[in-house]
């Protein structure tokens, strides 16, 4: 069976697709066949990003990104891939819950202020009420600001929940959105320090996912 990862977020623009792309390119770089299921039929931002990637960087690790109308439709093709990443649309939806229920690991990217942390924890609690195993849920500190004390406070806040928090963080930086414009992921950003920051968090995600999938 393929490794299945679900992205989730209570609000739009919380970096679900950015985290999905980074995970996808990391697994593809390790030689795995990767599918990102784009459940955002209006925007299909991941699908369009992958078209930019294929045309500009045909030599980079290739991933499949396809739009799907339902989780069931995606699961019919899932066994063709080693890794399937469910990327739901902007707001918490039934598809997001269904995808989370099918995943070995559910990743919730969150910014660091209480305005973002509280809804992220509420969403995690809601997923658990809908049957998701709390041990399968992990927060990703993405996007972070420029304050170490805010990072520490966010880790402490999330540390009081039953859910894991990935190591590392990805800051809010233009270099990452520029990478997306080119068809690259945050772990392929064209500047070493931001790239290494993203790599650290994504490696932590891969370690967590691998442990859960085994
Ligand atoms: N670390 C970052 N720094 C700056 N910009 C970023 C970063 N990560 C992602 N972005 C940009 O922020 C925007 C929102 O990110 P993304 O598309 O990943 O969010 P999302 O949760 O998938 O949004 P939606 O809810 O619309 O699906 C995009 O324009 C993306 O390129
Ligand atoms: Mg998205």
């Amino acid at each position: 069976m393929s490794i299945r990862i679900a992205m989730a977020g209570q609000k739009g623009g919380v970096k679900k697709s950015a985290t999905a792309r980074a995970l996808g390119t990391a697994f593809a770089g390790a030689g795995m066949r990767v599918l990102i299921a784009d459940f955002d039929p209006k925007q299909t931002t991941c699908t369009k990003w992958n078209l930019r990637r294929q045309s500009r960087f045909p030599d980079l690790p290739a991933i499949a990104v396809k739009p799907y109308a339902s989780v069931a439709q995606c699961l019919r093709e899932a066994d063709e891939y080693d890794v399937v990443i469910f990327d739901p649309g902007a707001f918490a939806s039934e598809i997001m819950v269904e995808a989370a229920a099918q995943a070995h690991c559910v990743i919730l990217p969150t910014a660091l202020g209480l305005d973002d942390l509280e809804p992220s924890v509420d969403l995690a609690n809601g997923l658990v009420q809908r049957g998701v195993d709390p041990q399968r849920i992990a927060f990703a500190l993405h996007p972070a600001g420029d304050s170490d004390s805010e990072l520490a406070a966010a880790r402490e806040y999330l540390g009081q929940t039953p859910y894991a928090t990935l190591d590392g963080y990805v800051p809010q930086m233009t270099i990452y959105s520029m990478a997306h414009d080119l068809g690259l992921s945050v772990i392929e950003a064209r500047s070493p320090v931001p790239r290494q920051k993203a790599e650290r968090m994504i490696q932590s995600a891969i370690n967590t996912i691998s442990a859960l999938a085994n």
Side-chain angles (χ1 to χ4, degrees), residues 53-154:
R53 179 180 185 84
Q54 287 166 341
S55 67
R56 280 177 192 252
F57 301 104
D59 297 334
L60 281 183
I63 60 182
V65 182
K66 297 193 203 173
Y68 290 99
S70 71
V71 175
Q73 186 192 20
C74 171
L75 289 179
R76 285 198 279 277
E77 300 175 7
D79 286 341
E80 295 168 31
Y81 300 91
D82 302 308
V83 179
V84 177
I85 303 171
F86 303 117
D87 185 27
F91 300 102
S93 63
E94 221 25 60
I95 282 191
M96 185 182 288
V97 176
E98 279 174 33
Q102 294 293 333
H104 293 101
C105 182
V106 185
I107 296 186
L108 285 81
T110 179
L112 308 189
L114 281 178
D115 286 345
D116 293 285
L117 292 170
E118 282 176 351
S120 299
V121 173
D122 286 348
L123 174 60
N125 293 339
L127 291 174
V128 171
Q129 279 170 8
R130 297 288 303 274
V132 176
D133 179 349
Q135 295 192 341
R136 296 193 182 280
I137 295 176
F139 294 110
L141 301 179
H142 179 193
D146 54 6
S147 157
D148 288 344
S149 61
E150 188 189 36
L151 263 173

Side-chain angles (χ1 to χ4, degrees), residues 5 7 14-32 34-37 45-46 49-50 53 60-65 83-87 107 109 140-142 166-167 169-171 175-177 179-180 183-189 194-207 209:
I5 306 150
M7 310 306 306
V14 294
K15 318 306 186 197
K16 298 178 296 292
S17 298
T19 309
R21 294 168 195 181
L23 278 169
T25 54
F27 278 115
M32 300 174 91
V34 175
L35 170 67
I36 296 181
T45 48
C46 265
W49 164 83
N50 201 37
R53 179 180 185 84
L60 281 183
I63 60 182
V65 182
V83 179
V84 177
I85 303 171
F86 303 117
D87 185 27
I107 296 186
L141 301 179
H142 179 193
L166 301 177
D167 295 336
Y169 62 94
V170 180
I175 191 90
Y176 295 122
S177 43
H180 289 150
L184 300 171
S185 75
V186 294
I187 61 164
E188 296 167 331
R195 189 169 63 238
Q196 285 153 14
K197 284 194 167 141
E199 280 170 351
R200 177 164 178 230
M201 193 190 81
I202 292 302
Q203 187 57 54
S204 172
I206 288 173
N207 296 345
I209 293 159

